[in-house]
Amino acid sequence: MLRSRGSFLIRPVEIPTELNAWRTALKRRNLLGLIAACTAGSLANAFLIEPRRLTITRRDVSCGKLPTSLDGLRIGLLADFHYKPDRDDDLLHAIVDQVRHENLDILALAGDFIDSSPRVLVPLMDHLRKLTARHGVFAVMGNHDGWNISNATMRVRFEKEGISFLDNEHSLLTIRGESLAIAGTDYIWGGKPDPARTLRGIHTDTPVIALVHEPDYFDVMAAQRDILLQLSGHTHGGQCRVPLIGYAPVSVEHGRKYIYGGFARDDSKLFVTRGVGTTGLPVRFACPPELAVLTLRSAQPDSATS
């Protein structure tokens, strides 16, 4: 149909069917190209970038039974190194530098230092011996450690480097005139944890920081007595998480209930770190390596930044 505008006739332009089809195909190709680019970028990030990117999580942890003189005590937490000498050295250098910068009161190493080969402990110790904290560095076994090396051998290696190795036992510290117990169990998944032995002899008024590799054991520890704060790893925070909502599709034995972050049971608190390394596929997504720096507060609400 022709339309008139003044003295001109306007004829509608008909687009050939072939051109319409070509434009539709081009849009489809652009969409597929965009999807492919996003997928490639995500894979590159998950395999090449994020596993090597150290993040620092700083959190205030309110502890109702913390003596006021210990308010502000700063505790660092690292776990799940799964150390691989050909891949992880730059990350370990970054961790050592950051720990020195944080000027921590206590540093906790919550297990899984190796993935399978005990031989990697030798180069790993070149890094771990450089970790320092004002009142000591403390370590416990992880399940990967226990599956591949004896507790006794681990103790010798760690204590040679000045790191206190806790195996169903505790160390009693005096900080700012107050007693504080650092209690560490054996690993849970195939190990021989003994919470009664670990906590035996600690006065009921003495606050306890517990190191337990697997976080779901928190219920057992808290049933024994109030635990000021349990520090755990094992889950890797899921290792891969859904962005924004933080959902972790994959969980692990003894790490299904408490996957990442802070939890409470009555007067007992738990913090689970994302850890440092990877196991299985060397991949992390929306879940980068973490040094957690926890500041104990005697009368303040929990808050977090990362």
Side-chain angles (χ1 to χ4, degrees):
M1 183 175 95
L2 298 179
R3 288 182 294 169
S4 172
R5 180 178 294 176
S7 57
F8 297 95
L9 293 177
I10 302 174
R11 184 186 301 276
V13 177
E14 295 183 3
I15 300 174
T17 302
E18 295 82 358
L19 183 57
N20 276 327
W22 181 82
R23 285 181 176 175
T24 301
L26 183 60
K27 287 179 181 178
R28 257 191 222 125
R29 284 193 197 114
N30 288 341
L31 178 60
L32 291 173
L34 179 62
I35 293 172
C38 290
T39 301
S42 296
L43 288 172
N45 173 71
F47 280 91
L48 301 176
I49 299 173
E50 193 163 320
R52 294 168 171 80
R53 181 172 63 86
L54 178 66
T55 59
I56 317 301
T57 295
R58 294 185 174 87
R59 178 171 293 201
D60 286 354
V61 182
S62 176
C63 302
K65 295 189 176 182
L66 181 73
T68 55
S69 58
L70 294 182
D71 186 272
L73 196 75
R74 301 177 75 247
I75 301 175
L77 172 61
L78 294 163
D80 305 297
F81 293 82
H82 297 279
Y83 177 67
K84 300 169 183 66
D86 59 338
R87 195 184 68 199
D88 295 337
D89 287 321
D90 288 345
L91 179 60
L92 265 292
H93 285 306
I95 288 169
V96 169
D97 289 344
Q98 190 63 41
V99 166
R100 286 174 172 170
H101 174 75
E102 294 292 336
N103 194 27
L104 299 167
D105 291 300
I106 294 167
L107 177 61
L109 308 177
D112 271 6
F113 299 95
I114 67 175
D115 202 48
S116 57
S117 173
R119 291 193 299 273
V120 305
L121 270 179
V122 174
L124 175 59
M125 284 301 168
D126 289 339
H127 296 285
L128 298 188
R129 69 165 58 99
K130 300 172 186 175
L131 297 173
T132 60
R134 186 175 293 105
H135 299 288
V137 181
F138 300 86
V140 293
M141 291 285 282
N143 58 290
H144 279 264
D145 305 321
W147 293 344
N148 294 284
I149 194 170
S150 73
N151 295 41
T153 300
M154 290 286 282
R155 179 188 294 277
V156 169
R157 293 283 180 87
F158 277 76
E159 296 198 342
K160 180 182 177 183
E161 306 302 340
I163 298 172
S164 297
F165 191 82
L166 301 174
D167 183 13
N168 291 325
E169 60 196 312
H170 67 269
S171 180
L172 196 62
L173 306 179
T174 300
I175 302 175
R176 304 174 193 170
E178 296 283 355
S179 293
L180 177 68
I182 312 296
T185 73
D186 194 9
Y187 67 103
I188 315 306
W189 195 352
K192 297 178 180 178
D194 188 339
R197 176 184 164 192
T198 302
L199 300 169
R200 187 178 301 133
I202 302 175
H203 193 277
T204 53
D205 292 335
T206 299
V208 175
I209 303 293
L211 276 61
V212 183
H213 178 66
E214 294 94 333
D216 287 359
Y217 207 65
F218 176 58
D219 295 336
V220 176
M221 295 296 289
Q224 296 284 318
R225 59 165 292 161
D226 289 339
I227 301 296
L228 190 74
L229 179 62
Q230 177 176 309
L231 303 172
S232 297
H234 184 57
T235 65
H236 302 196
Q239 197 162 300
C240 293
R241 300 173 71 88
V242 178
L244 302 179
I245 65 173
Y247 171 68
V250 178
S251 61
V252 65
E253 188 73 18
H254 303 294
R256 303 192 194 282
K257 186 174 182 180
Y258 306 112
I259 296 178
Y260 173 69
F263 304 89
R265 173 176 167 169
D266 299 324
D267 288 325
S268 298
K269 296 292 180 71
L270 164 69
F271 186 85
V272 186
T273 179
R274 293 192 298 265
V276 172
T278 61
T279 190
L281 287 175
V283 57
R284 279 183 176 269
F285 187 73
C287 193
E290 174 183 64
L291 164 63
V293 178
L294 309 174
T295 302
L296 304 189
R297 297 297 182 189
S298 56
Q300 294 184 18
D302 294 351
S303 63
T305 59
S306 60

